[in-house]
Amino acid sequence: HVQLVESGGGSVQAGGSLTLTCSTSMYSYRHYCMGWLRQVPGKGREGVASVDYADNTNYAPFVKGRFSISRNVAENTLVLQMNNLKPEDSGMYCCAADLLNVLNGSVCRPDYRFGHSGQGTQVTVS
C-alpha cells in the first residue's frame, strides 16, 4: 500500500506563492517516479512536474521556471514550490507515484502512467 497525503493548498492572489507537501511511503522502494498532477475542470488531469529516485526532474512547459519539485527523503515528503501563480494554475493538485522500470529505460516525466495518487489539495488563484 502506497501512502500519498497532500497538504498546503489554499487561495492566493495572482503572482503569489504556495507550497504543497505530500507525505509518502514511496521512498522505501529503490526505483520510483513521483509527480504532481492537477485536475482542472473542463481540461482533465495533466502532469505538472516529476522527480525520480536519482533526483532527475521534469516540468510541464506551462510551469517551467515557476514551479519546483523536490524530495525530502529524511522526512518522507515530496514538495511542490509554486511561484508567480496564475489564475489558470487553479485546480485540484494530486501527488502521484509508481515504480520506475529502469531495465526497459522508462523515463520519469509529468505524463508518466502513475498507478497511485492521493486525494488532492485545492489551489485557487484569483
Side-chain angles (χ1 to χ4, degrees):
H1 176 68
V2 176
Q3 174 191 322
L4 297 166
V5 180
E6 304 92 341
S7 62
S11 297
V12 65
Q13 290 189 337
S17 298
L18 279 175
T19 302
L20 304 184
T21 301
C22 173
S23 295
T24 179
S25 59
M26 201 65 192
Y27 299 147
S28 60
Y29 295 95
R30 185 174 181 184
H31 298 125
Y32 52 82
C33 174
M34 298 199 68
W36 287 94
L37 314 174
R38 70 186 185 192
Q39 183 82 41
V40 180
K43 290 186 64 177
R45 180 176 280 194
E46 55 188 4
V48 174
S50 64
V51 60
D52 70 9
Y53 64 96
D55 262 342
N56 297 303
T57 58
N58 281 292
Y59 297 91
F62 49 81
V63 302
K64 207 166 187 178
R66 300 187 297 123
F67 290 13
S68 177
I69 188 171
S70 60
R71 303 179 304 140
N72 187 323
V73 178
E75 295 186 358
N76 288 311
T77 59
L78 179 73
V79 175
L80 184 68
Q81 177 64 42
M82 306 186 295
N83 298 323
N84 192 20
L85 282 160
K86 305 175 181 180
E88 53 263 42
D89 292 321
S90 297
M92 182 68 74
Y93 283 71
C94 299
C95 177
D98 211 329
L99 297 176
L100 185 65
N101 191 335
V102 297
L103 294 179
N104 70 3
S106 293
V107 177
C108 181
R109 292 196 177 103
D111 61 352
Y112 193 76
R113 287 191 176 184
F114 296 103
H116 310 277
S117 60
Q119 293 296 312
T121 183
Q122 181 68 38
V123 171
T124 303
V125 186
S126 59

